[in-house]
Amino acid sequence: ASLDASSITGGFTVDLASERPAVVAKLNLDKIDTARYVATTPVAAAIAVARRTGDAPQVPASPYELSLIPLKPSLEAHLSSAGPAAVAAAPGPEAHAPGDSAERRALNLGPVVGGVWSKASLGLEQLRDAGTDFDLDLTVGDLRHGDVVLGKSALGAKLQKGSLDIDVREVQPVEGRISGRVKIDTASETPAYDILLDVGGVPVEKVLQKAGQRDILRGKLTGKAELKASGRSEADIVNSLSGTVTSEFRDGAIVGYDIRRALRPFANREYDPRNTTPYQVISADFAVSDGRARSESISLDGPAIRIRGDGTANLKTAALNYRSRISLVPPPSNFSIPVKILGTWNQIKAALDWARLATQWTDVSPFEGVELGRRSAPRRSAPRQIDPELKSLIDELVAKKGGKATPPEAIELLGEMTGK
């Protein structure tokens, strides 16, 4: 048989003796794209229509962008947004929430708005009206959802009185394994979802390659997700999402960026696949509640850098609000560079966290060519060397601001940097 673009072989039985007819089947599908059968976002729908008509728009090879905000705009943004309230909130991860616009405007981020997820009904409540029960054993040679390629898959699907249970016995995206279950209960007015996924040893770079994405992360992913949600649409599901996600990447590299080299001068760096940041392990645990994913423990350990971070991803708007400390290894490792991560998950912006830098300044400056210490630190025999470009930049910005609304910690920091 054939269904849309799928070829089907196998066998089935139909039981008409009971009050509710029942179908039991064991089927093999060569391929199936589940995105054909659920509602999607207006942008994705427009692209899909354009592709079918042969008039596909030009879309970038990668849907995300990572950029480091240079020193000058990041410092200017800090000075422009600083004030008593900002100083009081500075140590916390929510100090610069995605909606607080002074810093976002200064960094050219703009306000974060909704509309990421479709509000159109997925139509799953229609399962409640099904007069037939199904028990399907499915093997799919190529399972995918749009650009997300899951590969060869073995699934069990049981629909009984409006409740759909999907048993993900095995998914082989390229290598490794994915297993779990998805339960959709439509017995009540609002569909409810219970999701459990287990991932083991999946090579991320090959999954990205299959999905036509840019090579930005390599390594093997192991993790688990236990999530619950309810709602008729994508937006409803994301807004109600709760549960936990654990993930660990091992023995890989961040591709396109040499973070150690890029962060020291705090200059903008374009993606270049020849630049890499190797790591032994990246791990992150997330607590998801009301459409927000909060992590207290994001870590990266590698031969050149070590990163510790925490923060929140707003799944409703795709907005990021993270803070991190990056330590360089081998020495100098007696300081950590505080970096804030803002923007959205497809347009990530990283900038120096000036407020936290001012409060954690200890011995050696992270600025290349600038050797500074607090006044209480032991005096060096050699005179301090002030980087002339950095001094000129700070003098210019301080003169422009006139020192107004600048936190005391920032004033002290700027003084140390300029030798005044």
Side-chain angles (χ1 to χ4, degrees):
S2 62
L3 172 67
D4 296 329
S6 304
S7 296
I8 306 172
T9 60
F12 64 91
T13 62
V14 181
D15 180 3
L16 300 176
S18 304
E19 181 180 348
R20 289 179 60 87
V23 177
V24 179
K26 186 172 184 178
L27 303 173
N28 302 301
L29 287 75
D30 63 340
K31 60 183 178 181
I32 189 169
D33 185 350
T34 58
R36 296 174 63 103
Y37 307 105
V38 297
T40 187
T41 59
V43 173
I47 292 176
V49 170
R51 284 175 176 163
R52 285 198 297 271
T53 60
D55 188 26
Q58 295 297 317
V59 294
S62 173
Y64 47 80
E65 171 190 338
L66 173 64
S67 62
L68 302 176
I69 298 172
L71 181 65
K72 181 173 181 178
S74 71
L75 177 56
E76 192 161 21
H78 172 62
L79 296 177
S80 67
S81 63
V87 175
E94 300 295 339
H96 301 288
D100 93 296
S101 57
E103 187 172 38
R104 296 191 64 86
R105 283 198 304 269
L107 295 177
N108 295 319
L109 292 174
V112 172
V113 295
V116 176
W117 305 100
S118 172
K119 295 184 179 180
S121 174
L122 295 171
L124 294 175
E125 60 271 14
Q126 296 176 19
L127 295 174
R128 187 169 52 244
D129 302 324
T132 303
D133 294 335
F134 292 86
D135 188 350
L136 307 179
D137 185 330
L138 302 175
T139 301
V140 184
D142 182 8
L143 176 63
R144 62 182 62 206
H145 185 85
D147 289 335
V148 179
V149 179
L150 298 175
K152 185 177 180 180
S153 307
L155 309 170
K158 183 178 290 187
L159 175 64
Q160 191 170 25
K161 295 182 179 180
S163 180
L164 176 62
D165 289 323
I166 300 175
D167 181 14
V168 185
R169 293 164 187 161
E170 186 175 25
V171 175
Q172 298 177 344
V174 178
E175 300 170 13
R177 59 171 180 77
I178 300 176
S179 61
R181 70 168 192 274
V182 179
K183 182 174 183 179
I184 304 174
D185 187 355
T186 62
S188 58
E189 187 67 21
T190 303
Y193 310 85
D194 191 342
I195 303 167
L196 172 63
L197 291 176
D198 196 347
V199 180
V202 174
V204 180
E205 64 273 17
K206 293 187 178 180
V207 175
L208 293 174
Q209 182 183 18
K210 281 278 189 179
Q213 304 302 316
R214 174 182 284 177
D215 181 15
I216 194 169
L217 184 65
R218 298 172 187 167
K220 292 195 173 182
L221 169 64
T222 298
K224 180 178 287 188
E226 297 185 38
L227 300 167
K228 294 182 182 294
S230 62
R232 297 172 177 268
S233 67
E234 287 180 353
D236 293 340
I237 293 171
V238 173
N239 289 349
S240 63
L241 200 63
S242 63
T244 59
V245 177
T246 62
S247 61
E248 184 177 270
F249 300 83
R250 283 200 168 271
D251 302 325
I254 297 171
V255 182
Y257 306 93
D258 182 341
I259 295 179
R260 180 185 176 102
R261 187 173 66 183
L263 280 180
R264 282 186 64 82
F266 296 97
N268 212 356
R269 290 292 180 269
E270 297 295 330
Y271 174 89
D272 185 340
R274 295 172 296 181
N275 295 331
T276 61
T277 302
Y279 66 84
Q280 284 97 18
V281 61
I282 301 175
S283 63
D285 298 336
F286 297 91
V288 184
S289 178
D290 299 324
R292 293 176 181 269
R294 168 78 183 156
S295 178
E296 302 282 353
S297 56
I298 301 173
S299 65
L300 179 151
D301 289 294
I305 63 170
R306 182 173 63 247
I307 299 176
R308 297 292 182 266
D310 59 73
T312 302
N314 188 333
L315 305 180
K316 305 174 188 178
T317 62
L320 300 177
N321 183 28
Y322 282 90
R323 62 180 189 176
S324 61
R325 291 181 182 272
I326 302 177
S327 300
L328 306 181
V329 288
S333 59
N334 56 339
F335 61 82
S336 59
I337 304 170
V339 175
K340 64 178 67 176
I341 299 172
L342 298 171
T344 61
W345 59 51
N346 64 340
Q347 192 177 35
I348 301 172
K349 302 286 186 179
L352 181 65
D353 191 340
W354 291 93
R356 295 180 70 220
L357 181 64
T359 59
Q360 67 106 47
W361 202 262
T362 54
D363 185 26
V364 180
S365 165
F367 297 101
E368 195 167 5
V370 185
E371 297 181 357
L372 302 173
R374 285 202 180 279
R375 293 180 181 87
S376 58
R379 293 284 183 180
R380 292 181 174 84
S381 56
R384 292 196 307 178
Q385 298 296 317
I386 305 300
D387 181 271
E389 185 177 353
L390 182 62
K391 180 179 183 300
S392 173
L393 163 65
I394 294 174
D395 286 342
E396 173 192 341
L397 293 176
V398 170
K400 181 178 179 181
K401 287 292 172 185
K404 296 178 181 178
T406 303
E409 296 90 345
I411 293 175
E412 183 178 0
L413 171 66
L414 299 179
E416 290 177 350
M417 288 182 174
T418 57
K420 294 184 178 180

